[in-house]
Amino acid sequence: MSNQHNKGISRRSLIKGAGAAAGLAAAGSIVPSRFAMAAAHGNKAPVKVGILLPYSGTYAMLGNSITDAMKLRIAAAGDMLGGRPVEYVAIDSEMSVPKAPQNTSKLVDKDQVDILVGPVHSGIAAAMAKIVGKRKQPIMIVPNAGSNAVTGPLCAPNIFRTSFSNWQPAYPGGTQMAKDGHKTCVTIAWKYAAGRQMMDAGADAFTKGGGKVIKDIEVPFPDVEFQAFLSEIAALKPDAVFAFFSGGGATKFLKDYAAAGLKSIPLYGPGFLTEGVAKAAGEAAEGVRTTLHYSADLDNPSNVAFRTAYEKATGRVANVFAVQGYDAGSLIVQAMAAVRGDTGATADIISAMENANFIDSPRGPWKMSKAHNPIQNIYLREVRSGAQKFLGVAAEGLEDPATGCKMA
Ligand code: BEZ
């Protein structure tokens, strides 16, 4: 289903927020490199940015947050990419893995996008990477999906990620559970690559810290019927529970967990469990400890400016998905400036992206790894009074192992 995304944010709001974002963006922009000398003089045709993100279903909030923040960052650059206007072509991924090849081909072959931004879902990311990684163009930027494979065996020169690998936020979460003195845990997650990879990473760290996983529960994606699984957890009586759900499903899980009387068993997980849903989950989210590469209360000037701009533009509170979208926009702006809009200069665009400057990211400074995945801090947070409370740095400058990545 084709969907010109813009339900969440009007152009007028974008311009309003973009003014506030411009200061932050200016601080992070780079001086056009030597490649600028080989500029695409006079080409005023739009740079086409294809978007494959979810705008319906349980991950709709994630897709909207990413899209709005990416557009906000590009609007702060005057809606120009290396001197050329920008044109967006968006498709609702519907979180459908079977439709991913067809949706990708539509954007790449029919619409001939210069840059492809997406997806949210790890299974779709792998399907897209298999297609895009075999080609020279377009450049693909993953603004959420954590599939380890995308910056592992499927890594490719033209694939970049501004979010995380599934291993990254999960491993420190397992370490934290053990540090907090828990000896046994149950893992529960949606049954697909993201859930499996995050639970494996968390369990690995928990075990290394002296803990024992007594049961792995897998819930079909994107089901939200949790009752039977929660009864099983109650019977098992673990010291702690480690969970991955996100978006609408996470809200439902948190509420059901509390309603089942399980709040006495501490709940942990990669930060997606409470990100963007803490308010909606209300009392049920209180005290839930998570690890993630962002916390909305991070006290750095870039984050304060970003939060203000995002809220002004969208009327919503900033979250990690918005930050990942904002940084995807920043990556595009910087690379296009470096080649002065020459979308054919693939090698130079790749080089500019590899060396892009994220000193002023709202999440704190980060840089691209050799596998094109962020090397970044992971923060420990806890929900207090409906918002994330930053408790400390759980892992500093954490780099994904990128197992199996052989960059051509
Ligand atoms: C994933 O499928 O990779 C994913 C989806 C939502 C939140 C985090 C990861």
Side-chain angles (χ1 to χ4, degrees), residues 59 62 120-123 144-147 164 166 192 194 198 244 246 272 321:
Y59 286 163
L62 286 66
V120 154
H121 182 292
S122 277
N144 185 72
S147 162
F164 58 92
N166 287 326
Y192 79 99
M198 288 189 214
F244 164 70
S246 191
F272 314 107
F321 312 110

PDB file of all heavy atoms in Angstrom, residues 59 62 120-123 144-147 164 166 192 194 198 244 246 272 321, ligand 1:
ATOM      1  N   TYR A  59       3.588  -0.935  15.171  1.00  0.00           N
ATOM      2  CA  TYR A  59       4.789  -0.108  15.053  1.00  0.00           C
ATOM      3  C   TYR A  59       4.522   1.257  14.398  1.00  0.00           C
ATOM      4  O   TYR A  59       5.471   1.968  14.043  1.00  0.00           O
ATOM      5  CB  TYR A  59       5.869  -0.839  14.259  1.00  0.00           C
ATOM      6  CG  TYR A  59       6.562  -1.979  15.001  1.00  0.00           C
ATOM      7  CD1 TYR A  59       7.302  -2.939  14.305  1.00  0.00           C
ATOM      8  CD2 TYR A  59       6.505  -2.086  16.391  1.00  0.00           C
ATOM      9  CE1 TYR A  59       7.957  -3.971  14.974  1.00  0.00           C
ATOM     10  CE2 TYR A  59       7.141  -3.128  17.064  1.00  0.00           C
ATOM     11  CZ  TYR A  59       7.872  -4.060  16.351  1.00  0.00           C
ATOM     12  OH  TYR A  59       8.522  -5.082  17.017  1.00  0.00           O
ATOM     13  N   LEU A  62       6.363   4.187  15.803  1.00  0.00           N
ATOM     14  CA  LEU A  62       7.790   4.200  15.495  1.00  0.00           C
ATOM     15  C   LEU A  62       8.028   4.837  14.121  1.00  0.00           C
ATOM     16  O   LEU A  62       8.893   5.704  13.957  1.00  0.00           O
ATOM     17  CB  LEU A  62       8.362   2.776  15.512  1.00  0.00           C
ATOM     18  CG  LEU A  62       8.554   2.094  16.868  1.00  0.00           C
ATOM     19  CD1 LEU A  62       7.260   1.804  17.584  1.00  0.00           C
ATOM     20  CD2 LEU A  62       9.362   0.813  16.736  1.00  0.00           C
ATOM     21  N   VAL A 120      11.696  -0.486  10.092  1.00  0.00           N
ATOM     22  CA  VAL A 120      11.644  -0.609  11.557  1.00  0.00           C
ATOM     23  C   VAL A 120      11.872  -2.064  11.972  1.00  0.00           C
ATOM     24  O   VAL A 120      12.465  -2.343  13.000  1.00  0.00           O
ATOM     25  CB  VAL A 120      10.270  -0.103  12.072  1.00  0.00           C
ATOM     26  CG1 VAL A 120       9.882  -0.762  13.399  1.00  0.00           C
ATOM     27  CG2 VAL A 120      10.293   1.411  12.241  1.00  0.00           C
ATOM     28  N   HIS A 121      11.405  -2.997  11.156  1.00  0.00           N
ATOM     29  CA  HIS A 121      11.296  -4.419  11.502  1.00  0.00           C
ATOM     30  C   HIS A 121      12.522  -5.192  10.983  1.00  0.00           C
ATOM     31  O   HIS A 121      12.884  -5.078   9.804  1.00  0.00           O
ATOM     32  CB  HIS A 121       9.998  -4.917  10.839  1.00  0.00           C
ATOM     33  CG  HIS A 121       9.633  -6.334  11.086  1.00  0.00           C
ATOM     34  ND1 HIS A 121      10.343  -7.394  10.586  1.00  0.00           N
ATOM     35  CD2 HIS A 121       8.594  -6.884  11.766  1.00  0.00           C
ATOM     36  CE1 HIS A 121       9.754  -8.522  10.927  1.00  0.00           C
ATOM     37  NE2 HIS A 121       8.695  -8.233  11.663  1.00  0.00           N
ATOM     38  N   SER A 122      13.130  -5.993  11.875  1.00  0.00           N
ATOM     39  CA  SER A 122      14.364  -6.719  11.519  1.00  0.00           C
ATOM     40  C   SER A 122      14.192  -7.660  10.322  1.00  0.00           C
ATOM     41  O   SER A 122      15.106  -7.783   9.496  1.00  0.00           O
ATOM     42  CB  SER A 122      14.857  -7.539  12.716  1.00  0.00           C
ATOM     43  OG  SER A 122      15.597  -6.741  13.597  1.00  0.00           O
ATOM     44  N   GLY A 123      13.051  -8.326  10.234  1.00  0.00           N
ATOM     45  CA  GLY A 123      12.831  -9.260   9.119  1.00  0.00           C
ATOM     46  C   GLY A 123      12.778  -8.522   7.789  1.00  0.00           C
ATOM     47  O   GLY A 123      13.321  -8.984   6.767  1.00  0.00           O
ATOM     48  N   ASN A 144      15.973   2.210  12.183  1.00  0.00           N
ATOM     49  CA  ASN A 144      15.563   1.493  13.391  1.00  0.00           C
ATOM     50  C   ASN A 144      15.991   0.022  13.381  1.00  0.00           C
ATOM     51  O   ASN A 144      16.773  -0.367  14.235  1.00  0.00           O
ATOM     52  CB  ASN A 144      14.052   1.566  13.650  1.00  0.00           C
ATOM     53  CG  ASN A 144      13.715   0.902  14.987  1.00  0.00           C
ATOM     54  OD1 ASN A 144      14.012   1.442  16.037  1.00  0.00           O
ATOM     55  ND2 ASN A 144      13.154  -0.308  14.977  1.00  0.00           N
ATOM     56  N   ALA A 145      15.460  -0.764  12.457  1.00  0.00           N
ATOM     57  CA  ALA A 145      15.591  -2.229  12.546  1.00  0.00           C
ATOM     58  C   ALA A 145      16.977  -2.664  13.017  1.00  0.00           C
ATOM     59  O   ALA A 145      17.988  -2.286  12.433  1.00  0.00           O
ATOM     60  CB  ALA A 145      15.289  -2.849  11.194  1.00  0.00           C
ATOM     61  N   GLY A 146      16.999  -3.518  14.051  1.00  0.00           N
ATOM     62  CA  GLY A 146      18.273  -3.874  14.666  1.00  0.00           C
ATOM     63  C   GLY A 146      18.898  -5.161  14.153  1.00  0.00           C
ATOM     64  O   GLY A 146      19.952  -5.559  14.669  1.00  0.00           O
ATOM     65  N   SER A 147      18.277  -5.804  13.152  1.00  0.00           N
ATOM     66  CA  SER A 147      18.804  -7.070  12.619  1.00  0.00           C
ATOM     67  C   SER A 147      20.334  -7.121  12.674  1.00  0.00           C
ATOM     68  O   SER A 147      21.008  -6.348  11.988  1.00  0.00           O
ATOM     69  CB  SER A 147      18.337  -7.234  11.170  1.00  0.00           C
ATOM     70  OG  SER A 147      19.143  -8.192  10.516  1.00  0.00           O
ATOM     71  N   PHE A 164      20.872   0.951  15.823  1.00  0.00           N
ATOM     72  CA  PHE A 164      21.511   0.016  16.765  1.00  0.00           C
ATOM     73  C   PHE A 164      21.489  -1.363  16.125  1.00  0.00           C
ATOM     74  O   PHE A 164      20.725  -1.597  15.182  1.00  0.00           O
ATOM     75  CB  PHE A 164      20.703  -0.029  18.085  1.00  0.00           C
ATOM     76  CG  PHE A 164      19.274  -0.451  17.837  1.00  0.00           C
ATOM     77  CD1 PHE A 164      18.889  -1.775  17.906  1.00  0.00           C
ATOM     78  CD2 PHE A 164      18.314   0.478  17.444  1.00  0.00           C
ATOM     79  CE1 PHE A 164      17.590  -2.165  17.613  1.00  0.00           C
ATOM     80  CE2 PHE A 164      17.006   0.098  17.144  1.00  0.00           C
ATOM     81  CZ  PHE A 164      16.655  -1.227  17.230  1.00  0.00           C
ATOM     82  N   ASN A 166      20.585  -5.329  17.262  1.00  0.00           N
ATOM     83  CA  ASN A 166      19.777  -5.900  18.353  1.00  0.00           C
ATOM     84  C   ASN A 166      20.636  -6.281  19.556  1.00  0.00           C
ATOM     85  O   ASN A 166      20.180  -6.231  20.698  1.00  0.00           O
ATOM     86  CB  ASN A 166      18.993  -7.120  17.847  1.00  0.00           C
ATOM     87  CG  ASN A 166      17.846  -6.698  16.940  1.00  0.00           C
ATOM     88  OD1 ASN A 166      17.240  -5.647  17.158  1.00  0.00           O
ATOM     89  ND2 ASN A 166      17.556  -7.493  15.912  1.00  0.00           N
ATOM     90  N   TYR A 192      10.430 -13.328  16.426  1.00  0.00           N
ATOM     91  CA  TYR A 192      11.067 -13.044  15.128  1.00  0.00           C
ATOM     92  C   TYR A 192      12.465 -12.555  15.423  1.00  0.00           C
ATOM     93  O   TYR A 192      12.861 -12.451  16.594  1.00  0.00           O
ATOM     94  CB  TYR A 192      10.220 -12.085  14.279  1.00  0.00           C
ATOM     95  CG  TYR A 192      10.283 -10.607  14.623  1.00  0.00           C
ATOM     96  CD1 TYR A 192      11.095  -9.739  13.897  1.00  0.00           C
ATOM     97  CD2 TYR A 192       9.518 -10.068  15.660  1.00  0.00           C
ATOM     98  CE1 TYR A 192      11.143  -8.380  14.179  1.00  0.00           C
ATOM     99  CE2 TYR A 192       9.566  -8.709  15.951  1.00  0.00           C
ATOM    100  CZ  TYR A 192      10.380  -7.873  15.217  1.00  0.00           C
ATOM    101  OH  TYR A 192      10.432  -6.532  15.502  1.00  0.00           O
ATOM    102  N   ALA A 194      14.233  -9.883  15.760  1.00  0.00           N
ATOM    103  CA  ALA A 194      14.567  -8.870  16.772  1.00  0.00           C
ATOM    104  C   ALA A 194      14.436  -9.449  18.177  1.00  0.00           C
ATOM    105  O   ALA A 194      15.340  -9.303  19.017  1.00  0.00           O
ATOM    106  CB  ALA A 194      13.670  -7.646  16.613  1.00  0.00           C
ATOM    107  N   MET A 198      17.686 -10.111  20.592  1.00  0.00           N
ATOM    108  CA  MET A 198      17.798  -9.341  21.842  1.00  0.00           C
ATOM    109  C   MET A 198      17.789 -10.274  23.055  1.00  0.00           C
ATOM    110  O   MET A 198      18.552 -10.067  24.003  1.00  0.00           O
ATOM    111  CB  MET A 198      16.661  -8.317  21.938  1.00  0.00           C
ATOM    112  CG  MET A 198      16.823  -7.160  20.976  1.00  0.00           C
ATOM    113  SD  MET A 198      15.607  -5.872  21.315  1.00  0.00           S
ATOM    114  CE  MET A 198      15.285  -5.267  19.666  1.00  0.00           C
ATOM    115  N   PHE A 244      11.179  -8.087  25.335  1.00  0.00           N
ATOM    116  CA  PHE A 244      11.180  -7.195  24.166  1.00  0.00           C
ATOM    117  C   PHE A 244       9.789  -7.143  23.554  1.00  0.00           C
ATOM    118  O   PHE A 244       9.264  -8.147  23.064  1.00  0.00           O
ATOM    119  CB  PHE A 244      12.164  -7.644  23.076  1.00  0.00           C
ATOM    120  CG  PHE A 244      11.875  -6.958  21.746  1.00  0.00           C
ATOM    121  CD1 PHE A 244      12.123  -5.600  21.597  1.00  0.00           C
ATOM    122  CD2 PHE A 244      11.310  -7.649  20.679  1.00  0.00           C
ATOM    123  CE1 PHE A 244      11.813  -4.942  20.405  1.00  0.00           C
ATOM    124  CE2 PHE A 244      10.998  -7.003  19.483  1.00  0.00           C
ATOM    125  CZ  PHE A 244      11.255  -5.649  19.348  1.00  0.00           C
ATOM    126  N   SER A 246       7.461  -3.592  21.582  1.00  0.00           N
ATOM    127  CA  SER A 246       7.615  -2.176  21.261  1.00  0.00           C
ATOM    128  C   SER A 246       6.291  -1.630  20.730  1.00  0.00           C
ATOM    129  O   SER A 246       5.418  -2.400  20.313  1.00  0.00           O
ATOM    130  CB  SER A 246       8.738  -2.009  20.219  1.00  0.00           C
ATOM    131  OG  SER A 246       9.082  -0.654  20.065  1.00  0.00           O
ATOM    132  N   PHE A 272      13.169  -0.391  24.243  1.00  0.00           N
ATOM    133  CA  PHE A 272      11.963  -0.286  23.400  1.00  0.00           C
ATOM    134  C   PHE A 272      10.702  -0.611  24.185  1.00  0.00           C
ATOM    135  O   PHE A 272       9.607  -0.212  23.829  1.00  0.00           O
ATOM    136  CB  PHE A 272      12.099  -1.215  22.185  1.00  0.00           C
ATOM    137  CG  PHE A 272      13.440  -1.093  21.544  1.00  0.00           C
ATOM    138  CD1 PHE A 272      14.400  -2.084  21.652  1.00  0.00           C
ATOM    139  CD2 PHE A 272      13.781   0.082  20.874  1.00  0.00           C
ATOM    140  CE1 PHE A 272      15.660  -1.932  21.110  1.00  0.00           C
ATOM    141  CE2 PHE A 272      15.036   0.245  20.329  1.00  0.00           C
ATOM    142  CZ  PHE A 272      15.977  -0.767  20.444  1.00  0.00           C
ATOM    143  N   PHE A 321      13.172   6.670  18.608  1.00  0.00           N
ATOM    144  CA  PHE A 321      12.878   6.477  17.183  1.00  0.00           C
ATOM    145  C   PHE A 321      13.030   7.807  16.444  1.00  0.00           C
ATOM    146  O   PHE A 321      13.566   7.868  15.341  1.00  0.00           O
ATOM    147  CB  PHE A 321      11.474   5.873  17.019  1.00  0.00           C
ATOM    148  CG  PHE A 321      11.251   4.696  17.926  1.00  0.00           C
ATOM    149  CD1 PHE A 321      10.379   4.759  19.002  1.00  0.00           C
ATOM    150  CD2 PHE A 321      11.971   3.522  17.722  1.00  0.00           C
ATOM    151  CE1 PHE A 321      10.206   3.691  19.861  1.00  0.00           C
ATOM    152  CE2 PHE A 321      11.814   2.436  18.584  1.00  0.00           C
ATOM    153  CZ  PHE A 321      10.926   2.527  19.658  1.00  0.00           C
TER     154      PHE A 321
HETATM  155  C1  BEZ B   1      13.200  -4.648  15.044  1.00  0.00           C
HETATM  156  O1  BEZ B   1      12.386  -5.394  14.472  1.00  0.00           O
HETATM  157  O2  BEZ B   1      14.401  -4.668  14.752  1.00  0.00           O
HETATM  158  C2  BEZ B   1      12.734  -3.704  16.090  1.00  0.00           C
HETATM  159  C3  BEZ B   1      11.421  -3.279  16.107  1.00  0.00           C
HETATM  160  C4  BEZ B   1      11.012  -2.398  17.082  1.00  0.00           C
HETATM  161  C5  BEZ B   1      11.894  -1.919  18.022  1.00  0.00           C
HETATM  162  C6  BEZ B   1      13.209  -2.346  18.009  1.00  0.00           C
HETATM  163  C7  BEZ B   1      13.628  -3.246  17.034  1.00  0.00           C
END
